[in-house]
């Protein structure tokens, strides 16, 4: 049955029930009229409740208190012409698939929902046939040591790219190359200014302190950046730490919901030493916050192999200041997409 027909029948049914209810109530009030001229309590609505006319022109079907005993029934008027179209439309949840809105808000004023198909196409652009062919050719059964992509002083072999297939664990080369792609994109006009450390930065900092990594930023002023991406390897698990200069936070992102204040504090102390070395001043770290992303705030992995992809996509979305809307379901797509991005040396 067409929706308009269903709506019309429901409205007619409601109006008929209202008219019948009002007439029966008036009839009973007349029959039970006491000698003192006061109105008797109005009859129930068949659901264990009592109905009463509110002072406004709209009829309420959910009131449960008694009418004003001080006014004679002969002077009361029941409004029979009631427009419940907005109420019905709201309760039927017409047309947009969203939860019903209050009848106080006119349905006509509701904004149309965003085009989800367009948003999905922008966030998850489909791989073309040419891209699929390039990926298939690169991952063929050939020399695993063949260099397939070279940039950022890094070389990616077929063996490296194979870590992006199936449910393999990503290696350092792939993650470092991808982080450099994020930095290269950030150099475009209008993007956040991003810098990324190598996956070997945290181990070197832990073992040798600031002096062991002091020259890693030669010619780079970290304090001119917006964010610093720091991939972290925890034995068999990839995570990400992010230094945000605008928010003055060092935040840890873990796709298995683990906390790591230790890494964040090491990075904060590194910033203090770096600031002293480059600016000859002290950095007031008391204004900075060390924190962990909660598991309900960021996407979480549902297997034991996609942590590296999650860490890379955390970095990707943070670098673009975009909400993380991806899930475990998107990991096979991201793996294949990252192969093409590394081969072509550009991000989709």
């Amino acid at each position: 049955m067409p929706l308009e027909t269903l709506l019309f029948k429901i409205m007619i049914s409601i109006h008929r029930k209202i008219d019948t209810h009002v007439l029966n109530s008036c009839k009973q009030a007349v029959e039970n009229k006491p000698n003192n001229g006061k109105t008797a309590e109005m009859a129930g609505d068949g659901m264990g409740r009592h109905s009463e006319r509110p002072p406004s022109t709209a009829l309420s079907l959910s009131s449960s208190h008694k009418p004003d005993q001080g006014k004679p029934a002969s002077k009361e008027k029941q409004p029979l012409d009631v427009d419940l179209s907005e109420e019905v439309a709201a309760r039927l949840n017409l047309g947009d698939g969203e939860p019903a809105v209050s009848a106080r808000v006119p349905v006509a004023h509701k904004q149309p929902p965003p085009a989800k198909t367009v948003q999905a196409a922008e966030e998850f652009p489909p791989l073309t046939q040419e891209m699929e062919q390039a990926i298939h050719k690169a991952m063929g059964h050939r020399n695993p040591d063949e260099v397939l992509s070279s940039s950022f002083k890094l070389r990616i072999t077929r063996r490296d790219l194979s870590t992006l297939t199936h449910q393999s664990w990503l290696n350092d080369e792939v993650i470092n190359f991808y982080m450099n792609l994020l930095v290269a994109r950030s150099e475009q006009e209008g993007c956040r200014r991003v810098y990324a450390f190598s996956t070997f930065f945290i181990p070197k900092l832990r073992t040798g302190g600031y002096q062991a990594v002091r020259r890693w930023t030669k010619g780079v002023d970290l304090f001119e950046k917006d964010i610093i991406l720091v991939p972290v390897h925890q034995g068999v698990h990839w995570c990400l730490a992010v230094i945000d200069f605008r928010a003055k936070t060092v935040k840890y992102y873990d796709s298995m919901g683990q906390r790591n204040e230790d890494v964040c504090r090491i990075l904060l102390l590194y910033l203090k030493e770096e600031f002293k070395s480059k600016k000859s001043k002290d950095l007031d770290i008391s204004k900075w916050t060390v924190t962990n992303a909660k598991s309900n705030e960021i996407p979480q992995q549902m297997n034991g192999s996609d942590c590296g992809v999650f860490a890379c996509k955390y970095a990707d979305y943070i670098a673009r200041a975009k909400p993380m809307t991806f899930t475990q379901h998107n990991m096979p797509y991201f793996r294949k997409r990252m192969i093409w991005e590394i081969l072509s040396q550009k991000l989709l």
Side-chain angles (χ1 to χ4, degrees):
M1 179 184 297
L3 189 58
E4 293 81 3
T5 303
L6 176 62
L7 174 60
F8 179 78
K9 289 190 175 183
I10 292 177
M11 293 179 63
I12 292 298
S13 176
I14 292 177
H15 277 293
R16 287 178 177 174
K17 289 182 179 180
I18 293 174
D19 292 345
T20 303
H21 168 72
V22 174
L23 291 175
N24 289 341
S25 299
C26 293
K27 180 178 179 180
Q28 184 172 350
V30 172
E31 293 175 353
N32 298 334
K33 183 177 181 180
N35 294 332
N36 59 5
K38 303 288 181 70
T39 58
E41 186 176 306
M42 296 182 69
D45 60 2
M47 300 180 64
R49 301 173 301 190
H50 289 84
S51 299
E52 178 198 18
R53 175 183 60 80
S56 65
T57 57
L59 180 64
S60 172
L61 299 181
S62 60
S63 300
S64 58
H65 52 85
K66 295 181 181 181
D68 187 355
Q69 298 293 325
K71 297 181 179 180
S74 59
K75 293 184 179 181
E76 292 187 358
K77 296 181 181 180
Q78 293 287 353
L80 300 181
D81 186 13
V82 182
D83 182 7
L84 296 180
S85 59
E86 293 180 359
E87 176 80 16
V88 174
R91 298 196 179 196
L92 283 179
N93 194 20
L94 296 179
D96 56 13
E98 297 180 347
V101 298
S102 170
R104 297 176 184 176
V105 181
V107 177
H109 291 172
K110 290 171 58 182
Q111 296 296 324
K116 296 182 179 179
T117 55
V118 175
Q119 180 181 357
E122 293 177 351
E123 188 171 355
F124 308 103
L127 301 177
T128 65
Q129 183 176 357
E130 291 76 12
M131 293 176 181
E132 295 278 4
Q133 290 174 350
I135 295 170
H136 180 73
K137 180 180 179 180
M139 304 316 300
H141 298 286
R142 300 180 182 180
N143 180 10
D145 295 321
E146 180 183 356
V147 176
L148 300 179
S149 187
S150 178
S151 188
F152 315 116
K153 299 181 180 180
L154 298 170
R155 300 194 308 170
I156 300 295
T157 66
R158 182 172 284 107
R159 180 181 285 108
D160 296 326
L161 274 187
S162 68
T163 65
L164 279 166
T165 61
H166 308 298
Q167 292 186 339
S168 302
W169 292 349
L170 274 60
N171 66 7
D172 295 88
E173 285 72 17
V174 165
I175 291 183
N176 287 329
F177 200 98
Y178 190 79
M179 292 293 165
N180 275 277
L181 287 175
L182 298 178
V183 173
R185 182 183 62 189
S186 74
E187 295 173 354
Q188 301 174 6
E189 184 177 357
C191 295
R192 301 178 77 179
R193 295 167 296 179
V194 178
Y195 184 80
F197 277 118
S198 162
T199 56
F200 305 107
F201 177 76
I202 288 295
K204 194 72 172 177
L205 180 62
R206 273 175 165 165
T207 57
Y210 176 74
Q211 291 302 319
V213 295
R214 184 176 62 87
R215 295 181 60 84
W216 283 45
T217 56
K218 183 180 179 180
V220 177
D221 188 351
L222 294 182
F223 303 97
E224 290 182 350
K225 307 298 182 180
D226 294 320
I227 60 172
I228 310 295
L229 305 173
V230 188
V232 180
H233 193 228
Q234 299 285 66
V236 292
H237 183 51
W238 286 109
C239 303
L240 180 74
V242 178
I243 300 171
D244 190 328
F245 286 101
R246 292 181 177 179
K248 287 185 171 53
T249 61
V250 182
K251 195 168 186 176
Y252 189 72
Y253 296 81
D254 190 317
S255 58
M256 298 190 75
Q258 302 179 59
R259 301 169 60 88
N260 198 332
E261 289 88 353
D262 180 55
V263 164
C264 295
R265 291 195 181 97
I266 289 176
L267 286 172
L268 188 56
L269 291 176
Y270 164 80
L271 281 184
K272 183 177 180 180
E273 295 286 342
E274 179 77 356
F275 195 80
K276 182 71 172 179
S277 175
K278 295 293 178 64
K279 307 293 184 180
S280 300
K281 294 186 294 186
D282 291 327
L283 178 67
D284 186 2
I285 61 175
S286 65
K287 297 180 179 180
W288 284 70
T289 302
V290 168
T291 184
N292 296 269
K294 298 179 181 179
S295 59
N296 61 349
E297 294 177 338
I298 58 175
Q300 297 288 285
Q301 69 182 94
M302 300 300 168
N303 60 21
S305 58
D306 283 328
C307 56
V309 185
F310 271 89
C312 287
K313 297 315 292 184
Y314 289 159
D316 174 25
Y317 279 67
I318 292 170
R320 293 182 290 134
K322 296 291 185 181
M324 299 181 192
T325 55
F326 61 89
T327 67
Q328 175 69 57
H329 174 75
N330 302 117
M331 292 301 111
Y333 163 79
F334 281 145
R335 283 177 174 270
K336 187 179 293 187
R337 172 175 164 177
M338 287 174 67
I339 292 176
W340 184 87
E341 290 173 329
I342 291 174
L343 287 172
S344 62
Q345 301 179 14
K346 63 180 179 180
L347 299 173
L348 284 178

